[in-house]
Amino acid sequence: MMINYMRYSFVFALALMSFYINPFTIFYGSAMNTEIKENTNDSIPIVKVGSDGLIHRFHDTSPISPSGKYIALFRLPFEDRYPKAGEFGKVVLINLETGEEKVIANSFGWEMQLGANVQWGKNDEQLFYNQVDTSSWESFTVHYNMENEDFKRINGELFMASINGEKLVSHNLRNSEYAQSGYGVIVPDDYRSKNFGLTDKDGIYVTDVKTGKSTLVASIEDIYKQAKPRIGISNPEDFEIYCFKAMWNPQVSRIMTCLLLKPITGGKRKVAVITMNGDGSDIRTAITTTQYGKGGHHMAWLPDGDYLSMNLEVDDGKEGLEVVTVKYDGTELKEVFAPGSGHPSYHPGGLPFIITDAYAKETRVTDGDGYVPLRLLNVRTGKEIVITKVKTPDVSDSSFRLDAHPAWDRSGRFVVFNGFDGDVRSVYIADLSRIISHEQKFLSK
């Protein structure tokens, strides 16, 4: 049945973890009504934050600031066509105590799925997002400091900022359109290029936030030749090859990325999951193209920084994918939950919880009714709670899909996700404190 939350005309308050600056954070906005299905009890409060047309970034970073006082989001200017070079969306900052919503900047450096990759660094004084100079078509990162309202240009692109705010990591966002649309920045075709075979001019880039210096720490050629074990193909000259997604572990010691290979003559792409040290050394293949080729998607680091999780087909006796964990070097691969789906990520505080959503095509966990579940998986018990179900748009081009992208906040108490209010994208927060507290009490016995 549909959620039957009351329309709030008053302030909805949620208590935050004790290390946050404020003991209580307040969320303004309408509660959800017709576009989300209720599939659990009322012990999980869910509220909409901000106005309409907003998305948060991804499943591996929290849009809630380190203090818990703000949430940083992106407003798409439209939802039914590809952006063109020179079109902008808006970087939006919302004060969760007062409900004040402020447009920080217009960003020309965005795409449909992750917006401008808006995200936080070490503290509330470090808000980062991508930008493009439309006079030169140079792409770069902006560091916004709300304390003094200062905007600083950093000459490197942003896919993920380190949790200590010292470094940025990225694949080539200008070429990202050739890998998969939705995750990079849009520039005219003359300002990007395809990678045919191995190249030493493209790969993984690390940028020092303080100096603004950006370094190609591992080229695509380096990754292919140095990765141990081998990635799984012997004919790289027959592929367009790109790095895709780049993620710091919490310790800022290793980087994870995908090596994405598209056959030049057409056909199904191949993917390998790669890790490396922050300086590009010790390149390891966590998942080979052969392993990935059976079915898989969406990696995330575990809190310990040595292991990663993802959806992967490892059990031929089960339909669909399983959630697995694997060490950064490809060893110790094991199934931890079935079925897998969507965008899984482990609880940041080390509790045995995974939050994930699903794609409509993942029929083991969906009902074919246009809604996908927001799933809380307990690895200890093997059970799950469906927090709610989120409407998905019926689109023929997946570039315009809406993914819930559920993401833990840094306290591990709240989950932020994308959804619909009417026919417009909106952002919601679920308070899992009751479930978290119950598990903590059980584990402390």
Side-chain angles (χ1 to χ4, degrees), residues 85 137 174-175 177-178 186-194:
W137 298 112
R174 300 158 69 83
N175 285 351
E177 171 73 14
Y178 298 132
I186 296 295
V187 295
D189 287 345
D190 290 345
Y191 291 85
R192 56 187 180 187
S193 58
K194 292 187 175 183

Side-chain angles (χ1 to χ4, degrees), residues 321-336:
L321 307 177
E322 294 78 47
V323 181
V324 304
T325 57
V326 61
K327 199 170 183 181
Y328 70 87
D329 58 3
T331 62
E332 301 181 44
L333 174 66
K334 67 176 182 178
E335 176 186 326
V336 295

Side-chain angles (χ1 to χ4, degrees), residues 154-156 168 205-216:
I154 300 174
N155 292 320
L168 313 177
Y205 301 82
V206 171
T207 301
D208 184 280
V209 170
K210 186 175 182 180
T211 65
K213 181 181 179 182
S214 185
T215 303
L216 177 64

